[in-house]
Amino acid sequence: LGLVKEGAAMHRILLRLLLGIAIAEEATEAPKEEDGVLVLHDKNFEGAINNNPFILVEFYAPWCGHCKQFAPEYARAAQQLKQAKAPIPLAKVDATAEARLAEEYGIRGYPTIRMFINGKDQEYTGGRTEQSIVTWVLKKAGPPAIPLVDVANAEAFEKENTLSVVAFFAEGAAQDAFEAAARQVEDVMFAYTTEPSVAAKYGVTPPALRMSFPHDENHATFTGNMDRADEIQSFVRAYRQPMVSTFNGETAADIFGDGRAILFLFREKDEKGDVAEAELRKAALSIQRRLLVSVAGSTEPMDQRLMDYVSVEPEELPTVRLVANPMASMIKYKLEGDLTESSIMAFVNDFEAQNLKPHLKSEEAPTSQTGPVYTLVGSTFDSVVLDPKKDVLVEFYAPWCGHCKKLEPVYRDVAKILEPVKSLVVAKIDATANDVQGADIEGFPTIKFWPANKKGEPPLDYDSDRDVDSFITWLEEKVSLPFNKE
């Protein structure tokens, strides 16, 4: 697709050069600006891309809540990048009005952001705040780290980049690990110097690394191995967030994308919430950024989505949850009892020693099973699904899911036909009301199969058609305890 796009764009440019007209005409009609952001549409999009070696473009929908929330951050980033030594424009396209452009660039959700470098587009992978946008764009447009030649240069760099890293090297020293880390951390500006006067200004002896940030201590010095890129990355990522972060729509992506386990306090705006947060902040000093510590409310839509996601009920507040692997097979832990500095630290220490049991949400187990499909809940899942004498097929569904409702009669017929096969269980579980371990659920319905002789291995994904005959044929092939469908 990229080659097709590139070839088509080149063909249009050559055609216009041959005709000798349209390029000059297009150049005279500059895109309009709104809050420093270029407004692009079908007639001026190509000209903006061709006239700017670097340009960031947001495809948005006017009705999109995330787009509205993102707009002021994007506008402030645009104003800041206009003041850069080599200005880089930010632009936007109303994808609901510009259907051709939306189709050409495969826009399926909002906002979708693309960086165009010499006409070729790539996905924007930075954060949703002003500074993270600016840093990401500048790093894409330049080297992974910039040289600082004197003290004035270094001071100006720190002033311009509130979130930044400076490495200090002796002349000729290897910088490979530092450069590798700088390439991997996209939303923090990196610089380096071999000038002794700059090292003296900051009181460091090369090799050394110093990070500046707009929160807490404001700066920190790296004490790890300068030849280990992974250690440098871990240090930078730990300090790029405040010691205690506030969870909201602007910070959610950064918090979940951080990579560390997350310790959440959910609180109301009341005295009990104030006391709980004070205890959490005291504990955070001892945690020393080994975990990401965050405070969430309960009234905003984003707070409520997070509460649903990590299984918090309003009547529990204030309460603490620890979330491990937040971007993968998330595992949740619940702090029981009073919220004090000592109880929080004991909870964290037990987590780090792997002494905690996951907190799994579960409905009440049904008193009896009605119908051919076995109904599972969180508390009964392991005893049924991991039974080594049974092959078990499980549908993970959501009550509101239209595809699940469409599948229901087919799945019931499969279970009815196979009901005489006592070595096989056809089951279902409401994945919105029950938590289980060992199954990554990314959509509904998700159907997984646990063979009797492979309970210690990851389940198989059902990957055939969703009709009765296909289900039965697939099961005949995958079961470890053979059956005859007749």
Side-chain angles (χ1 to χ4, degrees):
L1 180 59
L3 289 174
V4 172
K5 279 190 205 169
E6 188 178 349
M10 184 58 68
H11 174 76
R12 289 194 294 269
I13 293 169
L14 290 173
L15 180 61
R16 291 182 175 187
L17 285 171
L18 285 170
L19 296 174
I21 48 172
I23 290 179
E25 290 176 358
E26 194 168 48
T28 61
E29 189 179 339
K32 294 179 181 178
E33 283 191 13
E34 289 182 3
D35 298 324
V37 178
L38 301 182
V39 180
L40 303 184
H41 48 72
D42 192 65
K43 292 182 179 179
N44 63 15
F45 185 88
E46 188 177 315
I49 300 303
N50 293 335
N51 293 335
N52 293 285
F54 301 99
I55 181 170
L56 190 69
V57 180
E58 175 201 9
F59 294 85
Y60 73 98
W63 45 259
C64 165
H66 294 296
C67 302
K68 292 176 182 177
Q69 191 171 40
F70 181 57
E73 298 290 333
Y74 195 65
R76 286 194 290 269
Q79 297 287 1
Q80 193 177 152
L81 285 166
K82 286 176 74 174
Q83 306 304 317
K85 291 181 181 178
I88 299 171
L90 268 58
K92 63 182 180 180
V93 174
D94 180 351
T96 66
E98 302 297 335
R100 188 191 68 78
L101 290 174
E103 182 64 28
E104 182 176 354
Y105 290 97
I107 307 306
R108 298 291 181 265
Y110 308 111
T112 294
I113 307 167
R114 296 272 197 271
M115 178 73 172
F116 289 80
I117 301 177
N118 294 322
K120 297 180 181 179
D121 69 297
Q122 60 179 267
E123 183 182 2
Y124 173 78
T125 56
R128 297 293 175 90
T129 62
E130 171 192 354
Q131 197 55 49
S132 60
I133 298 165
V134 170
T135 301
W136 191 92
V137 169
L138 289 176
K139 292 190 76 170
K140 287 295 179 183
I146 63 174
L148 304 177
V149 297
D150 54 32
V151 170
N153 201 199
E155 290 176 340
F157 172 78
E158 283 200 331
K159 184 177 180 180
E160 292 170 6
N161 301 282
T162 56
L163 196 59
S164 62
V165 173
V166 177
F168 304 84
F169 295 102
E171 191 70 46
Q175 302 180 21
D176 295 351
F178 170 73
E179 289 184 0
R183 287 190 184 92
Q184 290 299 315
V185 183
E186 295 181 323
D187 55 358
V188 178
M189 287 298 292
F190 282 65
Y192 67 93
T193 185
T194 57
E195 175 56 50
S197 63
V198 180
K201 149 88 176 157
Y202 292 106
V204 300
T205 301
L209 185 142
R210 183 178 187 271
M211 182 171 179
S212 298
F213 36 86
H215 45 258
D216 304 327
E217 313 98 307
N218 296 127
H219 59 81
T221 301
F222 178 60
T223 58
N225 187 341
M226 287 287 286
D227 292 324
R228 292 285 303 273
D230 58 339
E231 289 189 20
I232 295 172
Q233 287 178 53
S234 295
F235 167 77
V236 173
R237 285 180 171 143
Y239 279 93
R240 70 171 302 282
Q241 297 284 356
M243 191 172 290
V244 179
S245 298
T246 300
F247 180 86
N248 55 41
E250 293 179 2
T251 62
D254 284 343
I255 288 172
F256 271 85
D258 178 86
R260 289 174 288 171
I262 308 169
L263 184 70
F264 281 115
L265 167 67
F266 294 86
R267 56 157 296 184
E268 300 274 19
K269 292 181 179 178
D270 58 12
E271 185 177 350
K272 288 177 66 177
D274 290 342
V275 172
E277 183 170 339
E279 294 297 311
L280 179 79
R281 289 184 178 276
K282 286 189 282 186
L285 294 171
S286 299
I287 293 170
Q288 294 183 328
R289 291 186 162 86
R290 299 193 304 276
L291 311 179
L292 194 159
V293 180
S294 182
V295 177
S298 62
T299 57
E300 297 296 324
M302 185 64 78
D303 297 329
Q304 292 164 0
R305 284 197 288 271
L306 179 63
M307 289 170 67
D308 288 341
Y309 190 57
V310 299
S311 307
V312 172
E313 298 298 330
E315 57 269 20
E316 296 182 84
L317 273 56
T319 187
V320 164
R321 294 288 189 277
L322 199 159
V323 179
N325 304 320
M327 294 292 281
S329 53
M330 181 178 68
I331 303 173
K332 300 167 289 188
Y333 303 91
K334 178 181 179 179
L335 172 58
E336 303 285 358
D338 294 336
L339 299 185
T340 65
E341 177 187 1
S342 60
S343 69
I344 293 169
M345 284 310 305
F347 179 61
V348 169
N349 291 336
D350 282 343
F351 166 73
E352 293 178 327
Q354 300 183 346
N355 291 333
L356 293 181
K357 290 185 177 180
H359 173 63
L360 300 176
K361 178 172 60 175
S362 178
E363 295 177 292
E364 289 291 328
T367 55
S368 62
Q369 295 289 334
T370 58
V373 179
Y374 192 99
T375 299
L376 296 167
V377 297
S379 61
T380 63
F381 187 87
D382 284 357
S383 62
V384 175
V385 174
L386 301 184
D387 182 348
K389 297 178 181 178
K390 302 284 187 180
D391 291 311
V392 185
L393 183 73
V394 181
E395 176 202 2
F396 296 83
Y397 73 94
W400 43 259
C401 166
H403 294 294
C404 302
K405 292 174 182 177
K406 183 178 179 181
L407 177 65
E408 185 176 3
V410 173
Y411 199 70
R412 184 174 57 247
D413 287 349
V414 172
K416 183 67 177 176
I417 292 169
L418 296 176
E419 204 168 17
V421 182
K422 299 306 178 184
S423 60
L424 176 64
V425 178
V426 178
K428 65 180 181 179
I429 186 168
D430 179 352
T432 68
N434 300 277
D435 293 329
V436 301
Q437 287 185 276
D440 291 336
I441 310 303
E442 297 182 355
F444 300 115
T446 291
I447 305 167
K448 292 182 179 287
F449 179 67
W450 280 260
N453 64 347
K454 295 181 179 179
K455 298 298 185 179
E457 299 179 16
L460 303 177
D461 290 316
Y462 178 78
D463 56 4
S464 188
D465 293 333
R466 293 181 178 180
D467 59 79
V468 172
D469 289 341
S470 296
F471 267 106
I472 294 175
T473 299
W474 190 90
L475 286 167
E476 284 182 307
E477 294 174 357
K478 302 299 182 182
V479 295
S480 59
L481 302 171
F483 68 86
N484 187 333
K485 67 181 178 182
E486 302 300 330

